Amino acid sequence: MTDEVGEILIPSDRIAVRVRELGRTLADTYAGREPVVVAIMKGCVMFLADLVRAWGGTMDLEFVSARSYEGTRPGRVRVALPEDLGEKVAGRPVLVLDDIFDTGGTLAAVCCEIERLRPAELKTLVLLKKRRSRDGGSPGRSPDWVGFEIEDRFVVGYGLDHEGRFRNLPFVAALREDA
Ligand code: IMP
Ligand code: MG
């Protein structure tokens, strides 16, 4: 395992500090409201668990799945929603949560599906955003909130995987190029 995982880019203590900041921002933003948090599985599972506890407000949690990556390369996005998501989301503020924004294709595809369900408001938050996605090629809007901007490398840990592995690392690390 360790020879595939390279440099630690974001240690767990920095993640914890940033997650607490984001929790405070969300507590302010959604004060007095009860949003539906729609988490894109599985990558944001660690982030979700830490964030909603730091946030501490009243909310519903819903899960959707989106798959795009084949190995370390993006492909066509497939989104799966629970059947009753429409009832939960209609007329409510919705916050879509993902682990990482790379091309933006995943977030755009999920937001497009959610918009059809007529939420009162739709906002997006990602833990990581790759720097290259800012300078073009992104099919959708940028996230409303970003935990960390990172360089354009394939990363693992804190929920992010490579072919299903390394999600349980407590930090974000680069996958070694030769892995
Ligand atoms: P996008 O659709 O290109 O923005 O990619 C977003 C999705 O691809 C995320 O939800 C991740 O599941 C996956 N992904 C993108 N970059 C990485 C990475 O560096 N490590 C692990 N997963 C990634
Ligand atoms: Mg993902």
Side-chain angles (χ1 to χ4, degrees), residues 40-44 65-69 97-100 106 159-161 167:
I40 305 177
M41 286 290 106
K42 306 169 189 166
C44 74
S65 65
R67 287 207 49 190
S68 59
Y69 264 64
L97 215 64
D98 203 5
D99 52 359
I100 188 165
T106 300
L160 292 117
D161 72 303
R167 292 193 197 275

Side-chain angles (χ1 to χ4, degrees), residues 20-69:
R20 280 198 294 275
E21 281 173 8
L22 290 168
R24 283 194 293 273
T25 301
L26 295 175
D28 290 345
T29 303
Y30 293 104
R33 298 190 289 163
E34 289 193 18
V36 182
V37 176
V38 175
I40 305 177
M41 286 290 106
K42 306 169 189 166
C44 74
V45 65
M46 310 293 169
F47 180 43
L48 170 75
D50 289 340
L51 182 73
V52 296
R53 287 178 293 176
W55 171 357
T58 305
M59 70 200 67
D60 278 7
L61 300 184
E62 294 292 334
F63 302 94
V64 302
S65 65
R67 287 207 49 190
S68 59
Y69 264 64

